[in-house]
Amino acid sequence: MGITHANSITTEPSPSPRPPLLRLLPQPRRRRHAHAKHIALSTNCKCASAASASVEEDDVAGGLGYRHPPKQIQEILDVPPNPSYLISPRRDRIMFLQRTAMPPLSELTKPEIVLSGIRIDPGSNMRSRMSFYTGIIVHDLMDSGTLGPAKEVHGYADGAKINFVTWSPDGQHMAFTVRYEDKVDNSVNLSLWVANAESGEARPLCISEDIRLNAIFELFVWVNDSTVLVCTIPSSRGCPPKKPLVPFGPRIRSNEHKNVVQMRATKEMLKDLHEEELFDYYATSQLILLSLDGTVKPIAPPAIYTALDPSPDEKYLMLTSVHRPYSSTVSYKRFPKKVELWTVDGTFIREVCDLPLAEDIPITSGSVRKGKRLISWRPDMPSTLYWVEAQDGGDANVEVSPRDIVYMELADTLNGEKPQVLLKLDLRYRRISWCNGSQALVYEHWYRTCRTRTWVISPDCKDVSPRVLFERSSEDAYSNPGSPMMCRTPAGTFVIAKIKTNYEGTYILLKGKGATPKGSIPFLDLLNINTGVKERIWESSKEKYYESVLALMSYNPKCEIQLNHLKLLVSKESRMEPTQYYIKAWPDKTQVQITNYSHPYPQLALLQKEVIRYQRVDGVKLTATLYLPPGYDPSKDEPLPCLVWSYPGEFKSREAAGQVRRSPNKFARIRSNFPLLWFAILADPTIPIIGERDQEANDRYIEQLVASAEAAVNEIVRRGVAHPDKIAVGGHSYGAFMTANLLAHAPHLFCCGIARSGAYNRTLTPFGFQKEVRTLWEATDTYIKMSPFMSANKIKKPILLIHGEDDSKVTTAMQSSQFYDALKGNGVPCRLVILPFERHHYVARESVMHVIWETDRWLEMYCVSNSRNIQVMESTVDTTWSPACEALALYFTKIYSLSKLVHLAFAQIFHQEVKK
């Protein structure tokens, strides 16, 4: 199973085979002598023979295939997730999309081609490893708020994998793709289907064998209620180009013009002319208009289309494509890009823009591409375009005012009208939420200062000046006003819903997460845009439940909703009750439950969860979520082994870093990428790295990292829930980086570590990482000091490294391999597990189960059975036994390959028996 190293295994005993779930049960306090006897006897039962113990150690060391945790743990991880949902445009139906838990490893082993930042499945001409749905269930939404009878979409064969599910604009049909796999030649039959929403009957939309789908980029989009625009493989395409046996010439990369091109590390770019030909081959599409009656009409010439956007009035098509010259440095997103306007009947209107290759975008956060960007249709107008253009050349390091300008113009400029300036911004444009011709909300933000502004503009009223509605720090969760509730128009676009009340002014709804010092309390506010005055018309329960507004269920063609007729889709959950969906209706705010999902893992129904607050030595307030076994009582039961699992974050102020952004009432979900709760877990303790004012946060990374971890450990020890000698630390990605640094710079806090998919040598990411925008040459000392690779000789505690072999991010598997070699070269107890075919996150069932097994084993050996307990045992047991007792204990210890701790326990037991 990839790379294993026998010499990384110590002579510690193998972990107990007892199910980890049993460790959830609290153990009564025992005196140390009795506890030692218990360990000895249980270990003696486990090692029934020397041969079996030897085989198990050989198995662990040699890596004999994938391992699995106990059945109880597998049952938890195999629980399929709840279905996803899609609400119809007119809010009269809802479909639930059924999903599976984890794919088998065989799904990951299929051939794929990596080109320009994307991974392609050549057998289906779509992205590789796409998740999928297994079934579609449709319900009518009744006036009472209840669901009508379930209608299962049918017509396709069993075993179909469903993707790209969308409603038609009128909600009478659903379109989706169905794919089947030929197990003989690994080919995939990918076809476009349409289903009747009333009957659930589905059929292929195109039965011609000459039409094959191209799903590399956007596959299809509804143009109107009965027509879809589809990307297909050009009929003239032959076999894929073959790589020449004799190279055409050497690979040459030149920068003789002294361009400044800085890119964060990646390994998926185009490498040579052959890969450029492959990119053209797989990504080029022929567009066709496909009607529900089967009529097919080609439109526009073949090109590499990356986006298809019909105008709201169904008259125009905005087609975005990329073209040569390509780059070996950046992905397709920065290739030369062309945007064109066509009529729906296939007539070319004009070219909106043709942007050059963008290799030179600075790495500084807030830097963007030159020229027109984010070109979109106004959702509240028939066919009006809007876009943004940077005035600083796209370089966030340039000081200029304004920094961005938002423009607008009609699709077909018959008289050569110039674009209209909507708004000039001094920060970087983020987005617009359109309401109607008289109002829209424009958002801007600046990373360095964390300032964010929300403007109210009147796009169709030139005599009304823009004004600031909100201005705040983007880090300040407590002051977040929320986001506007959106309503779907008959054209299928989304605009801000206007709320009709008995008061004067224009009202909208703002929904927010409601971060407070006591935890998140989601809310719904009624906002008067004219005055800025808000009224809270609903908020979540504060005591037991966590409720959240998901979507607006009221429908009006003009998107004007009477407050007394307001209907919302909301979710509701508690610590012990899984999420359910409800329809909440005004004016009485009554709610009707529309789902009834059972507890996914009743074994953990009584799991204890608490959001705790504590303080760092410098006064920064911190937060964490503490999970404890059912029935555990720290006032009666002994401290538990504990795993601290976290991910650091950067802040510009200590006040923002100390804010609570979680709820104690949320349901505890067990995910495949999160450690199992087999004993105490301190989940996501805030690890803020703060750089106030002109300070750079990472210049004090180590000091703040250690201070935050020390505060967390002190708090759980103070509470009596964690044994100070049995606290492990772990994390994924940047959390793995954190783990390695803590073992290097805070060895007194943790007994071992688990690091997954980490990057440990920052000199291999010289053009920035996370929110660090300085290069290696600008902040050399910081890069070196932050790299745990450079401090491998300081690590003494055992560390488990896990990595996906195909990780293509800056955290390549090479990072873990080199870090392991550095640790091993310094005699550090370590273990490296490379997961074949896995990327940055692990998805295959075999991989996930093996990761849990590795985690269980590591914690059992180096946390639960921490070797520091040997010193405790030696200082507390009676060591005045006779030579005969010593000899007998040594005999049992050696033949069963047991640890020194068990040797001491055996000797104590034999000595007590002799005295009797």
Side-chain angles (χ1 to χ4, degrees):
M1 46 147 271
I3 302 173
T4 55
H5 299 271
N7 55 5
S8 68
I9 306 300
T10 70
T11 57
E12 294 286 347
S14 298
S16 167
R18 57 195 171 95
L21 279 177
L22 297 182
R23 294 175 217 145
L24 287 167
L25 301 177
Q27 299 297 322
R29 290 190 183 274
R30 299 182 180 91
R31 292 177 301 168
R32 286 173 174 170
H33 286 55
H35 188 52
K37 180 177 181 180
H38 171 78
I39 293 176
L41 292 178
S42 63
T43 308
N44 189 23
C45 294
K46 177 184 70 175
C47 300
S49 69
S52 63
S54 177
V55 168
E56 184 172 356
E57 280 300 317
D58 289 344
D59 189 6
V60 171
L64 303 180
Y66 288 93
R67 305 299 297 270
H68 292 79
K71 183 179 179 181
Q72 295 93 330
I73 298 298
Q74 296 183 51
E75 290 174 349
I76 289 177
L77 293 177
D78 283 333
V79 173
N82 288 340
S84 301
Y85 67 88
L86 281 176
I87 307 168
S88 66
R90 296 185 180 179
R91 278 19 192 182
D92 56 351
R93 294 188 176 97
I94 184 170
M95 73 167 85
F96 291 98
L97 308 173
Q98 298 169 322
R99 301 179 288 173
T100 58
M102 293 176 287
L105 186 63
S106 58
E107 289 283 330
L108 277 59
T109 62
K110 297 174 183 177
E112 66 178 12
I113 300 173
V114 182
L115 299 171
S116 190
I118 58 176
R119 294 181 176 229
I120 298 171
D121 177 356
S124 60
N125 220 96
M126 64 188 300
R127 300 291 182 98
S128 63
R129 305 189 188 183
M130 287 190 65
S131 59
F132 57 88
Y133 303 109
T134 58
I136 304 175
I137 304 295
V138 180
H139 294 267
D140 290 336
L141 285 167
M142 315 305 290
D143 292 338
S144 61
T146 60
L147 296 184
K151 292 174 285 189
E152 183 174 1
V153 174
H154 57 278
Y156 47 82
D158 294 338
K161 297 178 179 179
I162 301 170
N163 290 100
F164 304 105
V165 185
T166 61
W167 288 101
S168 62
D170 61 2
Q172 298 304 306
H173 295 87
M174 302 94 72
F176 53 92
T177 59
V178 171
R179 54 187 164 116
Y180 303 98
E181 297 179 6
D182 190 325
K183 297 182 179 180
V184 177
D185 60 4
N186 286 328
S187 64
V188 177
N189 177 15
L190 180 68
S191 56
L192 183 62
W193 286 58
V194 64
N196 184 285
E198 182 64 34
S199 65
E201 183 177 357
R203 59 181 175 85
L205 188 53
C206 184
I207 58 176
S208 172
E209 295 183 357
D210 296 331
I211 297 178
R212 295 176 296 164
L213 304 181
N214 190 340
I216 300 301
F217 296 108
E218 188 166 3
L219 174 56
F220 72 91
V221 63
W222 287 93
V223 174
N224 52 46
D225 296 338
S226 60
T227 308
V228 290
L229 180 64
V230 188
C231 284
T232 65
I233 296 173
S235 58
S236 60
R237 192 179 86 169
C239 297
K242 294 183 178 180
K243 189 171 185 176
L245 296 178
V246 179
F248 174 76
R251 297 179 184 175
I252 298 174
R253 300 173 64 183
S254 174
N255 191 39
E256 296 174 64
H257 296 292
K258 299 182 180 181
N259 296 322
V260 178
V261 179
Q262 300 176 349
M263 288 293 298
R264 296 197 174 188
T266 182
K267 65 175 185 178
E268 294 188 339
M269 302 304 102
L270 298 177
K271 300 180 182 66
D272 51 33
L273 293 176
H274 173 64
E275 290 198 350
E276 291 187 9
E277 293 175 350
L278 285 175
F279 182 73
D280 282 334
Y281 178 84
Y282 286 106
T284 300
S285 294
Q286 171 63 60
L287 299 181
I288 64 169
L289 287 169
L290 186 57
S291 299
L292 295 186
D293 61 7
T295 303
V296 178
K297 179 182 179 179
I299 186 172
I304 301 177
Y305 293 104
T306 58
L308 316 172
D309 296 294
S311 63
D313 62 1
E314 303 173 358
K315 292 183 179 180
Y316 300 97
L317 300 173
M318 181 168 60
L319 307 179
T320 303
S321 60
V322 297
H323 59 82
R324 291 175 181 264
Y326 300 146
S327 169
S328 61
T329 305
V330 297
S331 75
Y332 75 92
K333 295 179 181 180
R334 296 192 182 183
F335 286 177
K337 181 168 69 172
K338 181 184 295 184
V339 180
E340 297 177 333
L341 288 183
W342 293 69
T343 62
V344 171
D345 61 7
T347 302
F348 175 76
I349 300 297
R350 64 185 174 94
E351 182 182 281
V352 177
C353 67
D354 190 354
L355 304 177
L357 179 67
E359 287 185 323
D360 58 348
I361 300 177
I363 63 172
T364 306
S365 182
S367 296
V368 295
R369 191 171 192 157
K370 300 175 184 177
K372 295 181 180 180
R373 71 180 198 276
L374 303 174
I375 308 171
S376 303
W377 295 106
R378 270 187 60 172
D380 60 337
M381 296 293 285
S383 51
T384 299
L385 295 169
Y386 72 96
W387 67 89
V388 188
E389 291 188 44
Q391 306 301 299
D392 54 9
D395 188 348
N397 295 307
V398 175
E399 295 295 334
V400 65
S401 178
R403 188 172 293 278
D404 270 342
I405 298 180
V406 185
Y407 294 95
M408 177 180 69
E409 71 176 358
L410 296 175
D412 196 350
T413 54
L414 299 177
N415 300 317
E417 298 91 345
K418 293 183 178 180
Q420 175 186 342
V421 174
L422 274 181
L423 188 61
K424 297 180 179 181
L425 303 171
D426 284 336
L427 309 182
R428 187 65 79 199
Y429 168 89
R430 298 194 77 170
R431 69 182 187 276
I432 297 181
S433 295
W434 298 87
C435 188
N436 50 42
S438 61
Q439 285 158 334
L441 300 181
V442 182
Y443 301 84
E444 63 174 338
H445 174 261
W446 194 240
Y447 165 75
R448 290 177 181 173
T449 60
C450 296
R451 299 311 300 169
T452 181
R453 294 192 192 106
T454 304
W455 292 84
V456 178
I457 64 171
S458 299
D460 298 339
C461 302
K462 296 181 180 180
D463 57 338
V464 179
S465 300
R467 57 186 173 84
V468 175
L469 181 63
F470 302 116
E471 182 167 6
R472 46 182 286 273
S473 168
S474 59
E475 290 186 332
D476 184 6
Y478 293 168
S479 68
N480 192 331
S483 56
M485 295 289 293
M486 308 301 287
C487 178
R488 187 157 178 167
T489 69
T493 61
F494 285 91
V495 299
I496 300 174
K498 294 180 65 175
I499 306 301
K500 306 296 288 184
T501 69
N502 296 327
Y503 310 110
E504 293 184 0
T506 302
Y507 288 86
I508 65 173
L509 294 173
L510 296 177
K511 66 170 183 175
K513 295 182 179 179
T516 75
K518 295 183 179 180
S520 294
I521 305 174
F523 64 84
L524 187 68
D525 282 349
L526 184 66
L527 170 71
N528 185 327
I529 288 186
N530 305 104
T531 64
V533 175
K534 294 184 294 182
E535 177 189 351
R536 185 141 302 178
I537 62 173
W538 174 87
E539 69 178 9
S540 173
S541 167
K542 301 176 183 178
E543 301 302 325
K544 180 180 178 181
Y545 290 101
Y546 179 85
E547 303 166 283
S548 184
V549 175
L550 302 178
L552 183 65
M553 301 301 293
S554 306
Y555 177 74
N556 181 281
K558 296 182 179 180
C559 290
E560 297 179 351
I561 310 298
Q562 289 287 340
L563 181 60
N564 287 339
H565 296 163
L566 183 63
K567 283 187 179 181
L568 302 172
L569 178 66
V570 300
S571 64
K572 184 178 180 179
E573 61 190 290
S574 71
R575 302 181 193 184
M576 300 180 183
E577 301 172 61
T579 303
Q580 307 291 352
Y581 297 137
Y582 295 78
I583 300 294
K584 184 181 289 289
W586 265 250
D588 299 328
K589 301 179 185 178
T590 57
Q591 61 184 29
V592 178
Q593 185 173 340
I594 64 172
T595 60
N596 189 26
Y597 299 127
S598 59
H599 198 297
Y601 12 83
Q603 311 96 313
L604 303 179
L606 299 179
L607 185 72
Q608 300 183 65
K609 174 186 175 182
E610 180 183 1
V611 174
I612 64 174
R613 299 216 66 188
Y614 50 98
Q615 189 167 291
R616 206 163 72 177
V617 66
D618 59 359
V620 176
K621 296 179 180 179
L622 306 175
T623 311
T625 303
L626 178 63
Y627 294 94
L628 295 173
Y632 175 79
D633 185 350
S635 65
K636 299 178 181 179
D637 301 317
E638 61 187 13
L640 298 169
C642 181
L643 174 61
V644 177
W645 192 270
S646 191
Y647 191 100
E650 293 89 345
F651 293 88
K652 292 299 292 183
S653 74
R654 58 181 54 224
E655 291 77 17
Q659 292 183 345
V660 180
R661 293 174 170 83
R662 66 189 85 193
S663 170
N665 297 326
K666 298 198 72 173
F667 182 68
R669 295 172 179 83
I670 307 300
R671 296 181 175 90
S672 60
N673 63 344
F674 191 80
L676 290 175
L677 307 174
W678 49 71
F679 42 75
I681 298 285
L682 191 69
D684 301 318
T686 47
I687 309 287
I689 310 300
I690 305 169
E692 295 182 293
R693 294 177 292 276
D694 295 332
Q695 295 178 348
E696 295 293 342
N698 284 336
D699 288 344
R700 296 181 58 246
Y701 173 85
I702 297 299
E703 296 87 338
Q704 296 192 68
L705 180 71
V706 172
S708 298
E710 199 160 39
V713 168
N714 289 342
E715 178 63 17
I716 55 178
V717 171
R718 183 192 67 80
R719 288 171 172 260
V721 299
H723 193 294
D725 291 338
K726 298 184 178 182
I727 301 176
V729 62
H732 185 94
S733 193
Y734 206 49
F737 177 76
M738 169 205 74
T739 297
N741 267 313
L742 285 174
L743 292 185
H745 303 288
H748 60 291
L749 296 178
F750 304 104
C751 59
C752 64
I754 301 168
R756 303 180 186 171
S757 300
Y760 309 102
N761 186 349
R762 286 303 168 199
T763 66
L764 299 179
T765 58
F767 294 110
F769 55 91
Q770 294 297 110
K771 292 186 178 181
E772 177 58 69
V773 297
R774 296 171 296 175
T775 68
L776 168 64
W777 300 275
E778 294 171 324
T780 305
D781 291 342
T782 298
Y783 273 67
I784 298 297
K785 185 178 179 181
M786 286 183 67
S787 298
F789 180 85
M790 305 300 178
S791 300
N793 61 319
K794 297 180 181 179
I795 298 178
K796 306 301 179 185
K797 303 298 175 61
I799 181 170
L800 171 64
L801 305 175
I802 302 176
H803 218 118
E805 187 176 38
D806 289 346
D807 191 343
S808 61
K809 294 182 176 290
V810 297
T811 51
T812 61
M814 179 186 68
Q815 287 269 7
S816 285
S817 297
Q818 290 187 345
F819 190 42
Y820 171 82
D821 290 338
L823 294 169
K824 181 181 175 184
N826 284 279
V828 179
C830 54
R831 179 176 174 88
L832 173 63
V833 179
I834 299 294
L835 301 171
F837 299 105
E838 293 289 355
R839 299 178 187 172
H840 191 61
H841 295 281
Y842 323 135
V843 297
R845 185 181 187 277
E846 292 89 337
S847 302
V848 171
M849 293 297 179
H850 187 88
V851 167
I852 297 301
W853 180 85
E854 291 279 0
T855 303
D856 183 27
R857 172 186 175 274
W858 200 255
L859 293 175
E860 183 72 19
M861 290 180 64
Y862 298 110
C863 184
V864 177
S865 302
N866 183 9
S867 59
R868 276 193 281 183
N869 293 325
I870 295 176
Q871 300 175 1
V872 177
M873 176 69 68
E874 290 175 331
S875 64
T876 57
V877 299
D878 183 359
T879 57
T880 59
W881 45 68
S882 67
C885 293
E886 169 72 17
L888 187 59
L890 184 61
Y891 170 75
F892 275 100
T893 302
K894 285 186 176 181
I895 66 170
Y896 292 135
S897 302
L898 303 180
S899 69
K900 183 179 179 182
L901 175 62
V902 180
H903 170 212
L904 294 173
F906 266 125
Q908 174 73 357
I909 293 169
F910 296 144
H911 179 63
Q912 290 177 344
E913 293 299 321
V914 170
K915 290 174 66 176
K916 290 180 180 179

